[in-house]
Amino acid sequence: MDNRNEGLWKGGLWEQSSPAFPDPPAVRIPQAVSRRPVLRTRKRRRKWPWFLGLLSLILTICLSTILLDRYVTPRFSIQDYFPSIDEEFYTGDDEYETDPPTIPQAETGTGVTVPLYPPQGEKLDYVQIYERAVPSAVSIEAHVSKGYSAGSGVILTEDGYIITNAHVVAGAWRVNVLLHDNRTLPASLVGFDAVEDLAVLKIEAEGLTPAQFGDSNTLRVGEPVAALGDSLGYRATFTNGIVSSLDREVKVDGVTMILIQTSAAINFGNSGGPLLNQNGQVMGINTIKIVTEDGSAESLGFAIPSARVKYVVDRLIAGEEIKTGVFGFTVNTVPLPGGGLELMEVEQDSDAWTQGLRAGDVLTEANGVPITGIQDLTRLKLGRGPGDIVSLTYLRDGERFTADVALIEG
């Protein structure tokens, strides 16, 4: 029986079907329970007599305990919310906010881009990584209708461009940025994309220390990394780990993202902060974690790869729409014994068809790099969009051909 059609890599948002992973475990959210993903916020303090405040705290703890036992449901956690006994918590069931913040709009089309550098210099120890990275990390406070949320960010330029997660600032009417030198400055919005979970802010400042971004395509599983951010509200918390997996498909709020999985501890408040390699370079933007009700799940954090961050942020700063590029063909996910991936189908409205690729051809190289699996094609697309060219080398009846193929809109 011919099993070559099993596990096909098909066209679509990421041109790769989700693996048959089991459902994620239940999520435990401190002090509050919601049936849907939400951005947890702090509410402003109210003036209450001390005994009423104490009574309210006791009732809140009892009610939260009951709700945790009865209503926790499986989901991924992307909240940034910091528990404190001095504050009242919002525990409503509002949907996760995806609207852009209503803060002043900054200029776009300025030509600012995210440069990606290869690993440079000697590898650093964790003390050196921290000392190099911490001046480029910021704290972000977003004021929303029910209080405020908090997260982290990364300085891109010395004049105040900052990268963070979209969910950190979504729906905010004011956003403040706290710098390493303890200055707090208001931010304006350059660009925002809820699907990609990335946003670019701008503050009026000079002489900041920009982070150096590395190329996430150079990461290897097992490589040491570190996360930096405001974990549970503790500023500039630094945690270490390794790259647990690359090109991990994670579905968040109905959207499939291709992420770096890491064992470095990522907690509420780390969102928008950097994932760093041994050279102190930003290899990703921390975005989500998985937790379980019984605490059995550990070290399951995820970051947006820097290759995707560059593609999205460059277009946000340019004022362009973010579009997904696909090749327009289907391949067998199992590499052939001699190497390469067999084309199973080529869409006739794709540039791949126009350039002569057909079913039965075997892809062997992409941009001069041998293709060992579908992850090689997936990584290429992370940093590209419709119209971008990829040089594909393929075999047909033992003869070698090369075609420059433009991605199409997916």
Side-chain angles (χ1 to χ4, degrees), residues 87-168:
E87 297 190 90
E88 207 173 45
F89 299 104
Y90 168 64
T91 58
D93 245 0
D94 291 351
E95 291 186 356
Y96 169 57
E97 182 67 67
T98 58
D99 292 333
T102 56
I103 59 178
Q105 183 69 48
E107 182 183 4
T108 58
T110 57
V112 174
T113 59
V114 181
L116 299 183
Y117 296 96
Q120 298 178 342
E122 296 182 358
K123 293 180 179 179
L124 308 176
D125 60 35
Y126 282 115
V127 173
Q128 294 170 319
I129 294 171
Y130 176 82
E131 291 175 345
R132 174 172 294 185
V134 72
S136 305
V138 302
S139 306
I140 296 176
E141 180 180 283
H143 294 254
V144 295
S145 60
K146 295 180 175 65
Y148 66 91
S149 64
S152 306
V154 180
I155 296 175
L156 174 61
T157 66
E158 63 177 3
D159 63 344
Y161 281 87
I162 293 170
I163 300 172
T164 187
N165 283 143
H167 77 260
V168 170

Side-chain angles (χ1 to χ4, degrees), residues 79-389:
Q79 297 89 339
D80 290 286
Y81 124 95
F82 312 127
S84 166
I85 61 173
D86 294 326
E87 297 190 90
E88 207 173 45
F89 299 104
Y90 168 64
T91 58
D93 245 0
D94 291 351
E95 291 186 356
Y96 169 57
E97 182 67 67
T98 58
D99 292 333
T102 56
I103 59 178
Q105 183 69 48
E107 182 183 4
T108 58
T110 57
V112 174
T113 59
V114 181
L116 299 183
Y117 296 96
Q120 298 178 342
E122 296 182 358
K123 293 180 179 179
L124 308 176
D125 60 35
Y126 282 115
V127 173
Q128 294 170 319
I129 294 171
Y130 176 82
E131 291 175 345
R132 174 172 294 185
V134 72
S136 305
V138 302
S139 306
I140 296 176
E141 180 180 283
H143 294 254
V144 295
S145 60
K146 295 180 175 65
Y148 66 91
S149 64
S152 306
V154 180
I155 296 175
L156 174 61
T157 66
E158 63 177 3
D159 63 344
Y161 281 87
I162 293 170
I163 300 172
T164 187
N165 283 143
H167 77 260
V168 170
V169 298
W173 54 270
R174 184 172 69 193
V175 175
N176 291 328
V177 174
L178 178 61
L179 300 175
H180 178 61
D181 60 9
N182 289 325
R183 282 184 294 165
T184 299
L185 299 174
S188 54
L189 179 67
V190 178
F192 176 97
D193 192 290
V195 173
E196 300 285 350
D197 199 18
L198 287 169
V200 181
L201 306 175
K202 179 69 169 68
I203 58 175
E204 296 302 319
E206 296 292 339
L208 302 180
T209 304
Q212 185 180 92
F213 284 76
D215 186 353
S216 55
N217 290 324
T218 65
L219 281 176
R220 296 180 300 171
V221 174
E223 181 176 337
V225 289
L228 178 61
D230 288 11
S231 180
L232 290 175
Y234 292 96
R235 289 187 60 195
T237 297
F238 189 69
T239 56
N240 70 306
I242 63 170
V243 175
S244 303
S245 182
L246 295 168
D247 313 308
R248 183 70 85 193
E249 286 195 354
V250 181
K251 184 168 289 188
V252 183
D253 201 24
V255 176
T256 299
M257 305 178 74
I258 305 297
L259 303 174
I260 301 166
Q261 182 180 336
T262 178
S263 64
I266 294 175
N267 293 294
F268 304 109
N270 277 107
S271 290
L275 184 71
L276 304 156
N277 68 0
Q278 289 179 287
N279 299 91
Q281 296 172 315
V282 179
M283 305 303 280
I285 298 296
N286 301 320
T287 184
I288 64 172
K289 66 174 293 187
I290 300 176
V291 294
T292 56
E293 183 178 4
D294 61 2
S296 60
E298 297 179 357
S299 304
L300 286 172
F302 297 87
I304 304 170
S306 62
R308 189 63 184 173
V309 172
K310 173 178 173 56
Y311 176 77
V312 174
V313 167
D314 284 359
R315 278 143 191 82
L316 291 177
I317 296 176
E320 299 175 0
E321 182 181 357
I322 309 300
K323 297 181 179 180
T324 299
V326 297
F327 284 105
F329 52 61
T330 301
V331 303
N332 195 319
T333 59
V334 180
L336 296 174
L341 298 173
E342 182 182 2
L343 284 175
M344 306 304 294
E345 181 181 358
V346 182
E347 298 175 12
Q348 295 189 17
D349 60 352
S350 69
D351 191 55
W353 177 275
T354 302
Q355 300 304 323
L357 276 73
R358 298 292 184 268
D361 294 341
V362 177
L363 299 178
T364 59
E365 295 180 7
N367 285 348
V369 179
I371 295 175
T372 59
I374 60 172
Q375 70 275 4
D376 298 314
L377 298 177
T378 299
R379 291 173 192 168
L380 277 173
K381 295 193 299 89
L382 285 179
R384 292 169 174 80
D388 290 336
I389 303 295

Side-chain angles (χ1 to χ4, degrees), residues 23-40:
D23 291 336
V27 172
R28 174 176 52 81
I29 303 176
Q31 303 287 345
V33 175
S34 172
R35 295 180 179 274
R36 299 189 294 260
V38 297
L39 184 64
R40 289 294 167 191

